[in-house]
Amino acid sequence: MVERQVIARGVKDPAVIEAMLRVPRHLFVEEALRGQAYGDYPLPIGEKQTISQPYIVALMTEALALTGSERVLEVGTGSGYQASILSLLSEKVYSVERISRVANNARKILDSFYCSNVLVRVADGTRGWLDEAPFDAIMVTAGAPKVPDSLVAQLCVGGRLVIPVGDEEVQELIKITKMKDRLQTERLGGCRFVKLIGANGWEVKGNRC
Ligand code: SAH
């Protein structure tokens, strides 16, 4: 998986590659899907949500340029796979998930790896995590209609935010670096994520929030 899907497509950061080699991705999917866990695609994790394609996990992680000392916010815990990769590359991960069953399942898997530097919270992550802000890096792993101002506000100066922005079908990965007096924006390519649902995302339908 790492050689063919990650390195061959241009991911270079040795720490990201090492983390992708270390985390056993099959443990983050249900047993029936374990044979496909290292395939070049996302997989369902229940509640109509998905664990992201390995390459996208690597690309987004590399874009955050982590050195090991950062406090990182992840919006969209999902399976917990991305959070566990981030946990190997930073000091502490604050991960927010809106569906409690999904969050509980991720918590169980993360505990089984002794991922003690990952906090999982059930909340609307489009509001960020105010009590713990500002963050050195923020990763949003669900597709947003626009970049939430609330997340930009919770970034340190010099901090990086990576987020898929677009319509409900396709998005573009955007990296924003917060400078002292302005925001620097880069485009990292197309992607497809499930919807970011919340106050600063897509409208809530139903009563899960
Ligand atoms: N990072 C995950 C994949 C996330 S799938 C992994 O490694 O497996 C996207 C997740 O974002 C879903 O679980 C969905 O419930 C969650 N989500 C959507 N909107 C959200 C919001 N406003 N706050 C927190 N989580 C949200």
Side-chain angles (χ1 to χ4, degrees):
M1 173 187 95
V2 174
E3 214 158 274
R4 291 200 194 146
Q5 301 171 34
V6 173
I7 300 171
R9 289 194 182 118
V11 172
K12 291 191 176 64
D13 185 333
V16 174
I17 292 167
E18 169 71 19
M20 298 286 295
L21 287 168
R22 274 181 64 188
V23 177
R25 182 171 161 93
H26 63 280
L27 298 185
F28 291 83
V29 298
E30 63 184 75
E31 262 178 64
L33 294 174
R34 285 196 178 160
Q36 297 175 64
Y38 298 90
D40 197 9
Y41 35 73
L43 285 171
I45 56 168
E47 304 282 340
K48 296 188 187 151
Q49 307 304 324
T50 53
I51 175 172
S52 306
Q53 181 191 9
Y55 169 63
I56 293 292
V57 171
L59 179 69
M60 291 177 81
T61 307
E62 182 171 63
L64 290 184
L66 300 172
T67 62
S69 60
E70 292 83 0
R71 298 170 69 254
V72 183
L73 173 69
E74 181 195 23
V75 177
T77 313
S79 65
Y81 177 67
Q82 175 73 73
S84 75
I85 299 281
L86 293 172
S87 82
L88 293 175
L89 299 167
S90 62
E91 188 184 298
K92 191 144 189 172
V93 180
Y94 299 83
S95 188
V96 189
E97 170 57 54
R98 66 182 284 272
I99 303 174
S100 56
R101 266 179 47 184
V102 172
N104 291 340
N105 192 48
R107 178 74 272 162
K108 266 192 235 150
I109 301 172
L110 291 166
D111 283 347
S112 72
F113 292 133
Y114 309 103
C115 260
S116 55
N117 64 336
V118 180
L119 287 182
V120 178
R121 179 192 202 187
V122 178
D124 174 6
T126 69
R127 299 180 193 274
W129 190 321
L130 205 51
D131 297 348
E132 296 292 349
F135 298 96
D136 303 296
I138 301 178
M139 183 187 291
V140 180
T141 61
K146 62 178 174 46
V147 178
D149 293 339
S150 44
L151 296 184
V152 175
Q154 291 181 31
L155 264 188
C156 299
V157 171
R160 289 83 61 199
L161 163 66
V162 178
I163 179 169
V165 178
D167 60 29
E168 300 184 19
E169 296 300 321
V170 287
Q171 305 90 32
E172 183 160 35
L173 276 179
I174 306 282
K175 173 178 174 180
I176 291 178
T177 306
K178 191 172 189 172
M179 319 291 254
K180 242 191 208 149
D181 49 357
R182 69 189 173 88
L183 301 176
Q184 180 188 302
T185 304
E186 290 162 67
R187 290 164 193 280
L188 308 179
C191 56
R192 277 178 99 104
F193 276 85
V194 296
K195 283 199 283 183
L196 180 74
I197 297 171
N200 303 308
W202 295 100
E203 202 181 316
V204 186
K205 286 186 191 135
N207 56 2
R208 275 219 187 102
C209 238

